[in-house]
Amino acid sequence: MFAFDVVSGRAAREVISESRQDILDVVKEAYLAHESGQSINPNSYFLRFPEKPSARIIALPAYLGGDHDVAGIKWIASFPDNVARNVPRASAVLLLNDYATGYPFACLEASQISAARTAASCVLGASTLHGSTRAHRIAVVGAGVIARNILEFFTAGQWEIGEFAVYDQVSGYADELVSYSRETLGVAATTADSLESAVRGADVVVLATTAATPYISGLDVFSAHQTVLNISLRDIAPEIVLASHNVVDDIDHCLTAQTSPHLAEQACGHRDFIDGTLAQAVLGKLEFDDSKPRIFSPFGLGILDLAVGSFIYRRAVESGRTTPIDGFFAETERWQKK
């Protein structure tokens, strides 16, 4: 009852690499559980630093019912300046709490979990809004860890892809992701010399940058019927959002913290430009015409971390890849027996 296990990032990565198709299903079911009211997902809390305006640490508490019946919290740091040191931008831990007692029973290294749930959400959004798992060209803007995970989940989802067109402001990063796609994933890929050339003619566009403010403007950047996965949330100017179909993971969560949809709301004074949530789209409750781009903007819900984290924890326990911490709790009885 009072066991406490640690799951390392290496173990989490191993489970993820073996289970991406399963994780796509886990994320889909978590969205549907959230849509049906089987979750509690408070607002994220942002810890910011005046002397490091680009850095933040975010707390995402949540509860997910149904088959999971687990509570917990992800504590994730985003320090973009790490990239210049060749250190990943994000680091994180995830605590899982037993719903019956409230006691934590596991601590997982969660940067791998966070990247996996983000990538799975992206690919689920792509198949739902695009309407198929076939694309002649997928444009990828930003070539970091999240982008690599997204490419892995596209291939795990058995997409038929002509090529990935990768653009990054640092061309060397784009070249590395292109090589990874070709040599490890077996999918054709090219390095684009500009964002516009990457996006032009793409069926699907993935935005996976560290942008803090919109830099993509103009109503001619994205084309009608193009599916845009706004994973980094702040790349797109409000006028593009307002001229597109818009799907989010959770309306209240996404329209906050100066995201592109939040800026669009501030510009027009209402939320009528939001078509609905991804879960509603999965359930066939949303309709789109072919005259506009289709933008999916996922804020990133804590319930996804719980769903994926719980899945990874169970697989790690089954395969003996956890580290038990004996005696983690000093007292397990309210009154000591005499």
Side-chain angles (χ1 to χ4, degrees):
M1 179 177 177
F2 296 103
F4 188 84
D5 294 310
V6 172
V7 180
S8 70
R10 179 176 297 175
R13 179 71 179 170
E14 289 174 355
V15 174
I16 290 166
S17 67
E18 299 163 0
S19 314
R20 291 191 181 96
Q21 183 59 60
D22 292 329
I23 290 171
L24 283 165
D25 294 335
V26 165
V27 166
K28 179 180 178 179
E29 292 305 315
Y31 274 133
L32 294 176
H34 183 61
E35 182 70 19
S36 65
Q38 299 179 65
S39 64
I40 303 170
N41 206 110
N43 290 334
S44 303
Y45 182 82
F46 287 72
L47 176 63
R48 299 186 183 275
F49 310 94
E51 296 181 359
K52 292 185 174 184
S54 66
R56 61 191 186 272
I57 307 179
I58 313 169
L60 289 83
Y63 164 75
L64 182 61
D67 294 336
H68 294 279
D69 207 27
V70 64
I73 187 168
K74 181 175 73 172
W75 181 239
I76 181 166
S78 175
F79 279 54
D81 289 348
N82 285 353
V83 174
R85 307 184 186 99
N86 195 30
V87 174
R89 170 185 59 85
S91 59
V93 293
L94 174 67
L95 282 176
L96 299 178
N97 294 74
D98 177 66
Y99 184 59
T101 65
Y103 272 71
F105 60 86
C107 178
L108 299 88
E109 194 283 330
S111 65
Q112 301 292 329
I113 294 168
S114 189
R117 64 84 148 149
T118 299
S121 173
C122 173
V123 173
L124 177 63
S127 59
T128 304
L129 271 64
H130 182 55
S132 77
T133 55
R134 179 179 298 175
H136 172 69
R137 180 184 179 94
I138 296 179
V140 182
V141 180
V145 172
I146 294 298
R148 186 195 72 214
N149 277 266
I150 289 171
L151 266 60
E152 291 169 343
F153 271 84
F154 267 119
T155 56
Q158 298 182 332
W159 275 64
E160 296 179 28
I161 300 167
E163 69 166 3
F164 289 113
V166 183
Y167 172 72
D168 195 290
Q169 287 183 325
V170 180
S171 59
Y173 296 161
D175 292 339
E176 290 177 5
L177 188 58
V178 165
S179 295
Y180 181 78
S181 179
R182 292 172 177 171
E183 298 168 11
T184 303
L185 302 179
V187 180
T190 59
T191 302
D193 57 10
S194 68
L195 182 149
E196 291 77 14
S197 64
V199 170
R200 191 179 307 118
D203 303 291
V204 176
V205 178
V206 176
L207 302 176
T209 74
T210 58
T213 56
Y215 61 92
I216 301 175
S217 59
L219 299 181
D220 59 346
V221 177
F222 303 125
S223 60
H225 193 56
Q226 203 168 46
T227 295
V228 181
L229 305 163
N230 184 27
I231 304 306
S232 38
L233 284 175
R234 296 171 177 84
D235 303 65
I236 305 171
E239 64 266 22
I240 298 177
V241 174
L242 294 173
S244 304
H245 287 294
N246 289 278
V247 175
V248 298
D249 51 3
D250 181 286
I251 295 173
D252 289 334
H253 281 79
C254 192
L255 272 67
T256 188
Q258 304 300 304
T259 64
S260 294
H262 188 207
L263 295 177
E265 179 189 29
Q266 294 174 48
C268 69
H270 60 75
R271 297 180 171 186
D272 295 347
F273 59 91
I274 300 292
D275 292 77
T277 66
L278 181 60
Q280 291 169 344
V282 168
L283 293 170
K285 295 181 178 181
L286 304 182
E287 295 183 0
F288 310 105
D289 60 50
D290 293 340
S291 66
K292 303 176 183 179
R294 303 171 183 184
I295 302 176
F296 174 47
S297 300
F299 191 74
L301 302 178
I303 58 162
L304 300 185
D305 297 291
L306 293 185
V308 175
S310 296
F311 172 84
I312 290 171
Y313 169 73
R314 291 192 300 270
R315 287 287 174 91
V317 169
E318 292 167 1
S319 58
R321 285 182 277 196
T322 65
T323 302
I325 308 298
D326 294 332
F328 183 79
F329 298 104
E331 295 182 275
T332 56
E333 296 178 336
R334 187 162 180 250
W335 299 106
Q336 297 294 323
K337 295 178 181 179
K338 293 182 180 180

